[in-house]
Amino acid sequence: MTVMDRSTAPDAGDPDFLPTPPDLYGRRERDRVLRGLGIAGRYWFPAWQRLIHPGEPQEVDRTLTVRIVDRRVVARDENVIELTFGPVGDEPLPRWYAGAHLDLLLPSGRMREYSLCGDPTVQDTYRIAVRRIPDGGGGSLEVHDALKVGDTIRVKGPRNAFPLSLPGFGSPATRMRFVAGGIGITPILPMLATAERLELPWSMIYVGRSRESLPFLDELRPYGSKITIRTDDEHGLPTPADLLGDEDSGSPSAEPSTVYTCGPPMMLENLRQALIGRPDVELHYERFSAPPVVGGRPFTITLAKSGVRVPVAADEPALEAIRRELPGVPYSCRQGFCGTCKIKVLDGKVEHRDTILSDAERDAGSMLICVSRCVDDELTLDL
Ligand code: FES
């Protein structure tokens, strides 16, 4: 084998001569036109890939780093803390509207969603509140135990899955009723501020186990009689009529109204049932836990990397069944809208129950395991 020293300039008559391609004018230097085309191609190629695969949405990076500038206990039982975030550097924080939430990317790698609960007109800080849940998935414990004033944390958003449509501003309703259960007050707080600023007619009921467990009671005091506080230890469990207040005439009224609610699953379900057949009342709700499985049937998931077979009960989300084997499997909203639990399906037919995957993503074999299920009896997942 001949090893050639390219630092010398071999004769063109030499049979081992490997020339640098001459340029358009016979020069051995690279031609400027070719060099320009090469550079243009480097940038054009990725753009062209997007054009020829239009069905595959490109992820928009909405991640930013914020600093924790304040931390405060906001319930008398000391189980709810409020965290206030400020910008890092000169970049202003993106704007948000009532009902929006942030995804916190926690140091452990967990992602958890928390409603923004400050005033949307305050643009230099974000505020969230988190109840400590000892038997949850560990996210709230990490927020309580690991996040301190001065720390920075990455967040995604804000995004709004619970937007407020206001009477006179896109909604035919003439009055608003807010129903908050415990930590479900968080998305409702900015809604109250917005309704108050626009001088809209509104009322609210705030329910929970006890006064000690209810966050932000001091902050609500200035709203006076517009807010009713009702606790289980003093009054027993509230009925739908208690929750709906004036909106509960029992039959459609001439004055349409709108109900915004966030709280425990049973409270939301009771309200939903009570408002069936009431076209005069718009119901908007946000859950902070997984919805019940409706119309499910049992099936089995095979975890491809270990071969372990996981039975999923008819009334059980696939995510919960998988977490028995793989406790660290990523998830956040548990309601099929954040995309954190997206997994590739290697075999089997999926019954998609989410609201965000595109047809292209479904065709490519993606599944959101927090809500979606199996059409037949068996699924194999890339886990
Ligand atoms: S956890 Fe949010 S979509 Fe599944």
Side-chain angles (χ1 to χ4, degrees), residues 250-282:
S251 56
S253 114
E255 273 194 42
S257 62
T258 183
V259 174
Y260 282 81
T261 181
C262 182
M266 190 54 74
M267 185 187 93
L268 301 190
E269 185 55 21
N270 288 343
L271 274 177
R272 206 181 62 77
Q273 293 290 339
L275 290 172
I276 289 174
R278 292 287 304 277
D280 57 319
V281 182
E282 290 173 17

Side-chain angles (χ1 to χ4, degrees), residues 331-341 368 370:
Y331 71 91
S332 181
C333 70
R334 293 185 291 162
Q335 298 172 53
F337 63 77
C338 74
T340 310
C341 67
L368 298 184
C370 64

Side-chain angles (χ1 to χ4, degrees), residues 27-239:
R27 291 183 303 237
R28 296 206 181 278
E29 305 276 326
R30 262 196 94 192
D31 182 80
R32 271 194 225 126
V33 175
L34 290 176
R35 198 166 61 218
L37 287 173
I39 292 168
R42 275 211 301 279
Y43 292 101
W44 165 248
F45 185 71
W48 172 248
Q49 287 298 307
R50 290 180 190 200
L51 288 175
I52 61 176
H53 299 296
E56 294 171 18
Q58 302 298 314
E59 191 73 10
V60 178
D61 185 7
R62 293 168 58 86
T63 306
L64 69 147
T65 301
V66 293
R67 188 175 304 284
I68 301 170
V69 295
D70 196 17
R71 174 188 163 120
R72 202 166 63 94
V73 174
V74 288
R76 282 188 228 149
D77 67 3
E78 306 206 335
N79 282 329
V80 183
I81 57 166
E82 162 199 287
L83 293 178
T84 304
F85 303 127
V88 171
D90 300 332
E91 278 292 299
L93 297 174
R95 293 219 52 180
W96 63 283
Y97 298 94
H101 67 268
L102 281 184
D103 301 325
L104 261 60
L105 305 173
L106 296 170
S108 63
R110 293 182 179 99
M111 184 173 108
R112 291 293 183 270
E113 298 181 354
Y114 296 103
S115 296
L116 284 165
C117 62
D119 185 335
T121 61
V122 175
Q123 291 178 27
D124 55 353
T125 54
Y126 290 151
R127 182 177 75 155
I128 63 166
V130 181
R131 172 173 291 287
R132 186 182 186 91
I133 304 176
D135 54 355
S140 71
L141 298 185
E142 187 173 351
V143 170
H144 274 249
D145 297 340
L147 301 187
K148 307 278 181 287
V149 172
D151 291 351
T152 57
I153 183 167
R154 289 193 312 131
V155 300
K156 274 188 179 177
R159 291 188 294 168
N160 200 330
F162 189 32
L164 187 62
S165 63
L166 296 163
F169 299 83
S171 166
T174 54
R175 57 214 160 110
M176 310 181 80
R177 174 74 166 173
F178 298 103
V179 180
I183 193 67
I185 188 67
T186 49
I188 302 291
L189 277 175
M191 295 182 176
L192 302 183
T194 304
E196 190 70 0
R197 189 169 301 116
L198 296 173
E199 299 180 356
L200 298 169
W202 65 270
S203 65
M204 174 174 140
I205 183 165
Y206 187 15
V207 299
R209 289 189 314 278
S210 63
R211 277 188 175 256
E212 283 63 39
S213 70
L214 294 180
F216 297 115
L217 284 178
D218 295 346
E219 200 163 308
L220 294 172
R221 198 159 292 128
Y223 293 126
S225 61
K226 287 182 176 176
I227 296 180
T228 305
I229 310 286
R230 191 182 197 290
T231 56
D232 302 349
D233 60 350
E234 285 179 46
H235 309 96
L237 288 174
T239 64

